[in-house]
Amino acid sequence: GRREYPQVIFSRYSAERAEHLKIRTDILRQEDGSLSVRKVAAVPAARGHIASLNRWYEELAAQMEGSPMEPNRPTGTTDDSVGFEFIKGEPLDRILDRYLHAGDIQNWEASIREFLDRILALKGQKEFLMTSGFTRVFGQVDSAALQWKDGRIMTTLPVTDIDMIFRNVLREPEGTLQV
């Protein structure tokens, strides 16, 4: 029979999240062979989170403007899903794992430092304050954990991406980090 497009070729469900954040991420193959990404509310309570992704993109894009980092651009929205570009890049966690397995601690550390330096160079840095929203997600954190070894208080940004973990950061061939 005839294939239906788009085809889901990969799907990841975020079951460990709070109910209002439970989403599914699909990679789709279009009829022309191109790939795209779709984030779908896995439960009705997550529709608000899906609806907010366009706004978060706009705010992150403004914050990252002029830096070698970019948030992934939304391509279309429905009531319960939002599409994104498929980025051809290598996840930072794979790059780090490759260095670690090769015993290349120098490049492993340099890659982590480069990522951190890019985040710390983003405009709008301010002193981190533990908010009720932070505590709701992460629990109460000892204030000593929020300081650098030299005693400086850690900073944050007006808009942050809680999922900006190495697995979700893609290094494109020209060096841009897509988040």
Side-chain angles (χ1 to χ4, degrees):
R2 192 173 183 302
R3 287 196 164 159
E4 294 291 320
Y5 289 93
Q7 290 179 305
V8 175
I9 61 171
F10 175 83
S11 192
R12 181 176 73 200
Y13 175 62
S14 301
E16 72 283 354
R17 294 180 174 189
E19 193 76 4
H20 69 284
L21 298 174
K22 288 185 178 180
I23 63 170
R24 186 183 77 235
T25 301
D26 298 331
I27 297 177
L28 307 169
R29 182 180 319 280
Q30 306 302 322
E31 193 165 8
D32 66 1
S34 65
L35 301 175
S36 64
V37 175
R38 177 178 61 197
K39 294 187 178 283
V40 181
V43 296
R47 284 186 172 165
H49 176 60
I50 290 295
S52 72
L53 293 178
N54 283 310
R55 178 175 54 90
W56 292 125
Y57 164 78
E58 294 296 333
E59 292 187 30
L60 283 169
Q63 192 169 266
M64 293 178 177
E65 187 177 8
S67 83
M69 295 181 76
E70 296 178 4
N72 194 349
R73 181 183 327 280
T75 58
T77 305
T78 68
D79 286 345
D80 66 350
S81 71
V82 63
F84 288 93
E85 297 176 26
F86 180 83
I87 304 299
K88 292 182 180 178
E90 185 173 14
L92 192 52
D93 69 335
R94 285 194 197 149
I95 295 169
L96 295 171
D97 284 348
R98 192 170 52 248
Y99 288 140
L100 206 53
H101 291 297
D104 188 350
I105 301 304
Q106 185 175 359
N107 276 319
W108 180 81
E109 287 178 350
S111 293
I112 293 172
R113 171 55 57 194
E114 177 189 16
F115 177 63
L116 180 59
D117 287 346
R118 287 184 184 195
I119 292 170
L120 292 174
L122 293 174
K123 54 189 168 194
Q125 297 285 332
K126 60 183 181 179
E127 185 176 309
F128 178 83
L129 298 173
M130 204 171 334
T131 64
S132 60
F134 177 90
T135 305
R136 193 170 45 253
V137 173
F138 298 105
Q140 191 65 35
V141 176
D142 179 11
S143 60
L146 303 175
Q147 294 182 5
W148 296 104
K149 288 182 181 179
D150 65 7
R152 289 179 297 133
I153 300 294
M154 290 192 180
T155 58
T156 190
L157 292 158
V159 180
T160 55
D161 180 351
I162 196 170
D163 280 341
M164 198 184 306
I165 58 175
F166 296 144
R167 177 181 58 175
N168 292 341
V169 176
L170 298 174
R171 178 184 294 278
E172 292 180 297
E174 77 281 355
T176 299
L177 294 181
Q178 284 278 344
V179 297

